[in-house]
Amino acid sequence: MDMTPILIALLVIGAIWGAYLWPNRSGGRRETPITSTERFDQWTHVMADVQRRGSAGGAVRDTVRLRRKRALVTLVGLSVVTLGAAVALRSLNWLLVSLAIDAVLAWYVGMLLQIKQREASRLAVRHEEVRPAAAGEPPVRIVAGN
């Protein structure tokens, strides 16, 4: 029994997981010293984000959004690699693995769309509650003057 395709598959999957997990382990630029201008720039972005969002949950949302994007890119990459392996090796097993990954990708995209729809409906309800109080106010008129 030839173990080469299985070994290649394990190496590809390991490499993709390694690329996915390495930034979390290495810490990126967190350990490197930064200059005062970079620190000021980071601080102003954080303050602008807090002011724009109105809460400290903005950093958490950005982290979640980054994780979701990374997971989506990983699933698409796995899908392409396994389909390429299925075509190159003319293997039914690789094709089935590719179809399974495609099914997981479709499920994940559906889940993301459902989360987005829930968030939009939550925001619509919140803005509806705020809007009726302002309904009694007269509309703003813009008068052009010379």
Side-chain angles (χ1 to χ4, degrees):
M1 182 172 174
D2 189 18
M3 299 294 285
T4 307
I6 295 172
L7 183 60
I8 291 172
L10 290 175
L11 287 174
V12 167
I13 291 171
I16 290 172
W17 273 107
Y20 178 73
L21 294 175
W22 183 255
N24 291 339
R25 296 286 182 215
S26 66
R29 290 188 63 210
R30 280 182 281 171
E31 278 80 296
T32 59
I34 59 175
T35 64
S36 60
T37 56
E38 287 174 332
R39 181 168 289 151
F40 178 77
D41 189 44
Q42 287 176 352
W43 177 254
T44 56
H45 284 301
V46 167
M47 293 307 293
D49 189 47
V50 168
Q51 193 174 26
R52 185 179 71 233
R53 294 179 193 263
S55 69
V60 173
R61 277 186 236 133
D62 290 342
T63 303
V64 169
R65 192 174 295 134
L66 182 65
R67 267 193 226 143
R68 287 177 182 162
K69 183 179 178 181
R70 196 181 295 168
L72 186 64
V73 167
T74 301
L75 283 173
V76 169
L78 277 173
S79 177
V80 170
V81 167
T82 54
L83 183 61
V87 170
L89 299 173
R90 294 185 180 150
S91 171
L92 179 62
N93 292 336
W94 277 108
L95 184 61
L96 293 175
V97 169
S98 179
L99 289 174
I101 291 174
D102 290 343
V104 171
L105 177 63
W107 168 80
Y108 190 72
V109 168
M111 184 187 68
L112 290 177
L113 290 174
Q114 186 178 23
I115 290 170
K116 186 175 182 179
Q117 182 181 13
R118 257 193 250 146
E119 180 69 19
S121 66
R122 186 182 64 80
L123 287 175
V125 169
R126 188 171 72 192
H127 288 298
E128 267 182 33
E129 292 171 358
V130 172
R131 195 67 195 129
E137 297 177 5
V140 175
R141 290 181 53 192
I142 300 174
V143 179
N146 289 335

